Amino acid sequence: IALNRAKSGDRGRWHYYTTDMAAATRSRLDLLHELRLAVEHRRGLELHYQPQIELVSGRVVGAEALIRWRGGDGSFIRPDLFISLAEYSGLIVDLGAWVFETAVEELRVWDSAGLTGVRMAINVSLVQFRDPLFLTRLRAALDKTGIAPNRIELEITESVAMLDAETVIAILTELKAMGIQIAIDDFGTGFSSLAYLHRLPIDRLKIDRAFVRDLGSARASGASIAQTVIGLGQSLGLSIIAEGIETEDQAQLLAALGCPLAQGFLYSRPVDSATFMAWWKARQQS
Ligand code: G
Ligand code: G
Ligand code: MN
């Protein structure tokens, strides 16, 4: 354990073994075991939905599906804790398939409930891109429900975009041909090169909430990064969505900068489907 720890850091480091390390490894293994059961039996897994808003009109244009896992004791386990574990173990392939099947199915439920024109944004991990069945399963989920592919948007992180360029471009091109939209999540936090970015067939950049948080604060850097991303999107012909909007001031600043779309606690936290539908209907009436 100590050796692995030392190897995962900078080269030429050493680590003493401590019992804490064994305990941490043990609890990760326990969590992985529980997660494997959860995925196999589709148990304790839920999707929550957070609305995406068109800033000028206030119209709800979509929702991002965010996974929630309820552990044995009934409390939620944070995705930051288990997504990395699922990626590392390969479980993300099955988990991810469950996510998009469920999310696509949900769109059909929303359609029958009269929530018209809502798009679904689904997070996809780099590991799923390496799964040869990824596209097949996605197609099957769409065929089964009859949901139009242009209502699906996949959010990939810059790390996906940093995978072998030809592979990524091939998959994205295929997704595009199917009519599926692509957004780059957490944009600005990774390090994709601009030369590479413009070769990717993508539709949207999602400004990371770190830059939205700094909007309008004394530190001007956040605003200037948000502004730069919006400008970049405009010159590359890409749409922009900002995430993590918590205040009306941030929404107004972003709108003034020309950002078309927004998502954040100001509108709604991620909520379960029933709550989302009720929220949508209440908003239509106001
Ligand atoms: O609400 P929030 O705590 O859900 O999300 C934490 C992180 O987990 C985010 O970075 C989000 O992108 C990621 N995440 C949430 N749901 C999914 C999912 O279905 N698949 C993947 N790969 N990541 C997800
Ligand atoms: O990495 P990704 O962008 O997919 O992460 C989405 C995460 O952001 C989720 O954990 C979600 O709960 C969180 N989130 C959504 N809106 C807000 C917000 O307005 N403020 C903060 N602090 N977090 C948010
Ligand atoms: Mn996301």
Side-chain angles (χ1 to χ4, degrees):
I1 292 170
L3 177 64
N4 276 335
R5 187 74 61 104
K7 278 182 169 171
S8 70
D10 299 330
R11 293 205 150 266
R13 290 182 56 106
W14 52 272
H15 267 278
Y16 277 114
Y17 171 79
T18 65
T19 47
D20 282 6
M21 287 184 187
T25 304
R26 182 77 243 160
S27 79
R28 271 176 71 85
L29 277 176
D30 288 346
L31 197 64
L32 179 56
H33 176 70
E34 261 201 71
L35 182 61
R36 176 156 293 147
L37 290 175
V39 173
E40 256 170 39
H41 300 107
R42 308 283 191 247
R43 192 172 64 202
L45 297 172
E46 277 174 45
L47 289 183
H48 280 191
Y49 305 91
Q50 187 177 36
Q52 301 185 329
I53 310 290
E54 186 176 66
L55 278 168
V56 282
S57 63
R59 213 163 51 89
V60 184
V61 293
E64 177 179 8
L66 292 154
I67 195 164
R68 296 291 179 261
W69 176 29
R70 219 183 271 277
D73 64 355
S75 66
F76 280 122
I77 301 162
R78 295 189 51 88
D80 345 14
L81 261 175
F82 67 85
I83 291 289
S84 65
L85 210 53
E87 287 173 335
Y88 159 82
S89 62
L91 262 182
I92 193 77
V93 168
D94 275 350
L95 183 58
W98 175 82
V99 168
F100 63 66
E101 279 157 23
T102 308
V104 170
E105 193 64 51
E106 191 64 40
L107 274 181
R108 199 163 62 168
V109 173
W110 292 354
D111 281 354
S112 356
L115 280 71
T116 47
V118 185
R119 188 175 62 214
M120 186 72 81
I122 301 170
N123 292 285
V124 173
S125 152
L126 168 145
V127 184
Q128 291 173 266
F129 264 59
R130 297 209 203 97
D131 168 26
L133 288 179
F134 175 66
L135 288 167
T136 315
R137 285 167 124 176
L138 196 52
R139 249 192 219 103
L142 290 170
D143 289 348
K144 190 177 152 211
T145 51
I147 291 295
N150 65 10
R151 294 178 62 194
I152 303 297
E153 173 161 302
L154 300 183
E155 292 192 3
I156 62 177
T157 56
E158 283 174 89
S159 62
V160 170
M162 295 314 286
L163 209 70
D164 159 52
E166 300 318 314
T167 311
V168 174
I169 292 171
I171 297 178
L172 294 184
T173 306
E174 184 115 5
L175 288 166
K176 220 85 238 120
M178 285 166 69
I180 289 173
Q181 306 200 37
I182 314 284
I184 306 278
D185 207 354
D186 307 332
F187 188 77
T189 59
F191 32 79
S192 40
S193 89
L194 294 180
Y196 180 36
L197 188 70
H198 101 116
R199 291 179 61 203
L200 297 178
I202 56 177
D203 302 279
R204 209 182 316 284
L205 303 175
K206 194 166 193 183
I207 305 176
D208 190 74
R209 65 170 171 274
F211 309 124
V212 171
R213 194 174 47 221
D214 293 346
L215 271 178
S217 76
R219 291 209 349 258
S221 64
S224 63
I225 291 174
Q227 191 163 11
T228 304
V229 176
I230 294 164
L232 179 67
Q234 284 164 350
S235 60
L236 291 177
L238 301 173
S239 166
I240 303 287
I241 182 165
E243 70 177 2
I245 286 65
E246 294 182 357
T247 68
E248 196 55 60
D249 279 358
Q250 291 169 342
Q252 276 169 18
L253 271 164
L254 284 161
L257 292 173
C259 178
L261 302 170
Q263 176 183 344
F265 294 169
L266 174 63
Y267 309 102
S268 167
R269 293 184 168 261
V271 290
D272 63 35
S273 170
T275 311
F276 180 84
M277 288 195 280
W279 177 90
W280 189 93
K281 285 184 175 152
R283 196 177 165 98
Q284 287 305 101
Q285 264 134 43
S286 64

